[in-house]
Amino acid sequence: MAPFIERNYEKIKKKYTLSSPKELLKEADIDLLPYPLDMNTGGFTTTNQRCSTIVVNSNWNEHYLGFVILHEFSHLVLHGGTSTPYYRRIGSGLMVPKIEHEANELAIKLLLDMHDKDEIKRLTKSQLIYYLGIDEDLLKYIPKFTR
């Protein structure tokens, strides 16, 4: 993990209880707005006068939205809210922008802390995808010791 992401992860871990994505937003005083978006867009963040709102696609499976929430939260922490809409699928062969890569890395780290590590170690890759509510393309962000 990059030092920039590791430092921010440690700050988050000290400041908040990492029990669930929604509880993290409550503690951080960030609003969550479920809203029907097009089926390719999972969510985005908007900030107005220091008040942030994470908008997530209410048409998507609730289980998958946990990662989307943490991805958008990561943009707020790492990039001051700068982000692109979170897309569910990252096309093969396409370059992932640096800010998206960083948000994915921090979001996965936070998501792993919100789950039982012993349970995660027992799961196969396909089980882990479902258990964490992530897309297969995001497995590359999971540290090898957890698999």
Side-chain angles (χ1 to χ4, degrees):
M1 179 178 288
F4 168 66
I5 296 168
E6 185 64 36
R7 278 191 312 273
N8 281 282
Y9 165 73
E10 291 299 329
K11 287 179 190 176
I12 293 166
K13 197 171 177 178
K14 286 179 184 171
K15 188 172 183 178
Y16 302 109
T17 307
L18 299 178
S19 58
S20 76
K22 289 181 179 179
E23 287 301 315
L24 176 60
L25 293 188
K26 284 180 188 174
E27 281 187 63
D29 198 27
I30 298 169
D31 293 326
L32 178 65
L33 176 62
Y35 190 80
L37 304 169
D38 67 85
M39 288 311 291
N40 290 321
T41 305
F44 62 91
T45 301
T46 182
T47 301
N48 186 355
Q49 297 176 349
R50 293 194 239 189
C51 295
S52 296
T53 301
I54 293 176
V55 180
V56 294
N57 193 338
S58 61
N59 293 320
W60 277 21
N61 180 305
E62 179 74 22
H63 184 68
Y64 191 82
L65 290 176
F67 173 78
V68 175
I69 291 167
L70 293 174
H71 175 91
E72 294 302 327
F73 174 82
S74 295
H75 277 304
L76 288 169
V77 171
L78 299 172
H79 311 121
T82 301
S83 71
T84 58
Y86 177 78
Y87 293 98
R88 182 176 200 158
R89 299 239 180 245
I90 301 169
S92 59
L94 296 177
M95 187 176 140
V96 178
K98 182 179 178 183
I99 66 170
E100 294 304 311
H101 175 76
E102 290 172 342
N104 285 343
E105 193 172 347
L106 181 56
I108 288 291
K109 183 83 170 153
L110 294 171
L111 188 62
L112 287 169
D113 274 357
M114 293 176 182
H115 288 85
D116 183 308
K117 287 183 183 15
D118 291 332
E119 182 70 24
I120 288 171
K121 288 177 184 178
R122 287 192 288 267
L123 300 174
T124 65
K125 285 184 183 182
S126 58
Q127 291 169 326
L128 190 59
I129 289 166
Y130 177 76
Y131 182 76
L132 294 176
I134 61 171
D135 199 51
E136 188 174 324
D137 294 338
L138 297 169
L139 281 175
K140 64 185 171 193
Y141 297 102
I142 296 176
K144 295 197 184 304
F145 70 89
T146 59
R147 286 191 257 159

